[in-house]
Amino acid sequence: MPQIALERADAVRLAVLPPLALYVHIPWCVRKCPYCDFNSHERGGELPERDYVRKLIQDLEAMLPSVWGRRLGSVFIGGGTPSLFSPEAIDELLAAVRARLPLEPGAEVTLEANPGTVEAGRFAGFRAAGVTRISLGIQSFDDAKLSALGRIHSAAEARRAVDTALASFDNVNLDLMYGLPDQDVAQACSDIRQAMSTGVPHLSAYQLTIEPNTVFYSKRPRLPAHDASADMQLAIEAALGEAGYEHYETSAFARPGRRCRHNLNYWEFGDYLGIGAGAHGKVSFPDRVTRHERIKQPAQYLSNEVTLVSERTVPVRDLPFEFMLNALRLVEGFPVTLFQDRTGLSPVAIQKNLEKAERDGLLERDWQRVRASARGRLFLNELLERFLPA
Ligand code: SF4
């Protein structure tokens, strides 16, 4: 395997800083789903909304010196289930963000919500607070599958939640899963068709995978065979394509003009501040790229004065892999110039790796763009390994 060759192993030079976004993590859910390995915790009684919002603002203030003069292109309030927070708490949070870091005109502000946690009044309140986009964790429209996934909502509640969200927001994403216990291709397609029939402009379809430290890891459900899941993926991509949804990232599909700007910024190796329990962030400077991470456990996060557990400069030799890990998820790939813009490294650093991956049929290039080939998308890990440091 060719190794990454760097002209200078210790320094980068970024001519322009990447766009900046803000990720806010709210770590509580009504119940922990058996497949979930996110930093989410079953709520026990009343949520400490006020203290948590105060802590988020403190995190943000501590980060301000790193991003003076920059604007936020997007905010994403994820979790957990952020819709468990009241519209008043979200309003207080967003007002505090706007007062400290200017938002670009038309900035995208997404809030994740789960059916069973929101009614019409709450959605209207989130809208009034400045949220512009809702991402709903639907997973399936089939009661038996929802129950197998340990979800708290029924298919009818899922449909109601979509209608309610669409009454207040025109920009709505639905998260769906396929490769569910005992699912076949027809059932997976039925979920997608029902999702499309709601008219939402954005859909995300994730394959269920069994992750360590989850209930499913110790009590493994019977999942479809690998080939069956691959067939589901192809059928889902075809159905969404025929209906006019653009497949723009491994799992993301959007109507024209409705791609998720916040997630695009991750995939284009942009910068983002991470605030809240367990949140991660990435901030670039003219001579380095840094990453930061916060205390994971909500109780410790709330009780500690300093919430940062790590802040480090990404070693220069890791930058090509980190960039590719994100950018090669994009179906259309990335402009050749983006590599230099985001990593501060000359494309010469990866020239040999690109050539070899292209020769092996994993990558396609023209004079403007680089992207994973159909085979490269199928064997993405194999492709990414080509960019690991020696
Ligand atoms: S609702 Fe979402 S974040 Fe919460 S436990 Fe379930 S999958 Fe995880």
Side-chain angles (χ1 to χ4, degrees):
M1 182 191 305
Q3 295 170 349
I4 301 294
L6 299 175
E7 289 156 327
R8 278 191 64 196
D10 58 343
V12 298
R13 277 231 330 252
L14 272 75
V16 281
L17 294 178
L20 180 68
L22 172 68
Y23 176 73
V24 183
H25 192 75
I26 297 189
W28 293 282
C29 290
V30 174
R31 196 165 70 199
K32 182 80 179 176
C33 302
Y35 57 87
C36 177
D37 72 336
F38 295 157
N39 184 28
S40 60
H41 304 262
E42 213 158 291
R43 87 169 159 194
E46 191 92 345
L47 290 177
E49 272 188 6
R50 292 198 72 90
D51 289 347
Y52 197 77
V53 168
R54 210 168 300 134
K55 205 75 186 176
L56 291 170
I57 298 168
Q58 182 193 308
D59 279 355
L60 182 64
E61 284 183 342
M63 295 302 298
L64 289 178
S66 323
V67 292
W68 279 133
R70 297 175 69 179
R71 285 170 176 266
L72 290 174
S74 62
V75 178
F76 195 103
I77 308 172
T81 305
S83 52
L84 290 175
F85 268 29
S86 64
E88 293 72 27
I90 299 298
D91 183 54
E92 188 186 342
L93 168 68
L94 289 176
V97 170
R98 281 190 294 267
R100 287 159 182 80
L101 259 181
L103 265 66
E104 279 170 11
E108 177 189 273
V109 181
T110 303
L111 179 106
E112 284 188 330
N114 276 311
T117 65
V118 258
E119 69 285 346
R122 268 170 110 78
F123 273 129
F126 293 138
R127 171 105 223 165
V131 173
T132 64
R133 182 174 182 270
I134 291 289
S135 179
L136 270 175
I138 298 293
Q139 317 315 352
S140 174
F141 287 102
D142 178 325
D143 278 328
K145 299 289 179 265
L146 288 169
S147 151
L149 288 173
R151 299 290 295 183
I152 61 163
H153 64 267
S154 64
E157 281 170 321
R159 273 188 275 294
R160 253 197 318 276
V162 181
D163 289 345
T164 315
L166 283 168
S168 294
F169 294 87
D170 64 346
N171 207 355
V172 173
N173 165 62
L174 304 186
D175 277 349
L176 292 168
M177 290 170 94
Y178 65 93
L180 304 181
D182 297 317
Q183 192 178 42
D184 59 27
V185 175
Q187 290 170 332
C189 286
S190 164
D191 272 348
I192 292 295
R193 269 197 305 278
Q194 292 188 63
M196 289 190 299
S197 73
T198 64
V200 293
H202 196 287
L203 284 164
S204 305
Y206 302 101
Q207 184 179 347
L208 173 63
T209 52
I210 306 294
E211 304 295 336
N213 300 318
T214 62
V215 172
F216 275 2
Y217 193 73
S218 44
K219 269 177 69 183
R220 206 181 165 89
R222 199 172 58 185
L223 297 186
H226 181 269
D227 283 358
S229 291
D231 288 346
M232 288 179 207
Q233 184 184 343
L234 290 177
I236 287 168
E237 288 177 10
L240 285 163
E242 274 165 30
Y245 287 87
E246 297 166 346
H247 184 195
Y248 69 102
E249 185 267 347
T250 310
S251 313
F253 304 81
R255 294 261 181 228
R258 293 309 187 95
R259 298 180 182 199
C260 174
R261 276 184 264 157
H262 186 85
N263 288 341
L264 269 175
N265 188 49
Y266 292 143
W267 298 320
E268 291 173 349
F269 210 49
D271 279 358
Y272 52 100
L273 301 173
I275 62 175
H280 292 243
K282 164 182 173 278
V283 180
S284 302
F285 298 85
D287 61 347
R288 66 193 189 282
V289 177
T290 67
R291 289 199 177 272
H292 56 271
E293 188 183 338
R294 297 188 185 279
I295 297 175
K296 201 170 170 191
Q297 284 300 324
Q300 287 173 19
Y301 172 82
L302 279 164
S303 61
N304 274 273
E305 184 54 30
V306 178
T307 63
L308 213 53
V309 280
S310 98
E311 192 170 26
R312 63 185 181 92
T313 296
V314 181
V316 176
R317 65 198 184 95
D318 290 348
L319 286 171
F321 176 73
E322 290 207 9
F323 175 87
M324 292 296 176
L325 190 64
N326 289 284
L328 287 177
R329 295 182 64 93
L330 291 166
V331 175
E332 291 153 10
F334 58 90
V336 176
T337 48
L338 193 72
F339 176 78
Q340 184 152 15
D341 286 350
R342 295 292 191 267
T343 65
L345 297 170
S346 160
V348 171
I350 52 165
Q351 190 59 30
K352 286 204 174 86
N353 312 66
L354 291 175
E355 282 167 6
K356 174 88 171 68
E358 192 178 17
R359 271 201 309 277
D360 294 343
L362 295 168
L363 203 83
E364 292 168 355
R365 291 191 292 168
D366 56 30
W367 59 279
Q368 269 187 321
R369 301 189 77 84
V370 177
R371 66 173 159 268
S373 64
R375 183 179 146 74
R377 282 215 306 276
L378 216 56
F379 299 101
L380 193 58
N381 286 343
E382 193 188 314
L383 171 57
L384 291 171
E385 276 173 19
R386 310 293 179 104
F387 298 94
L388 277 170

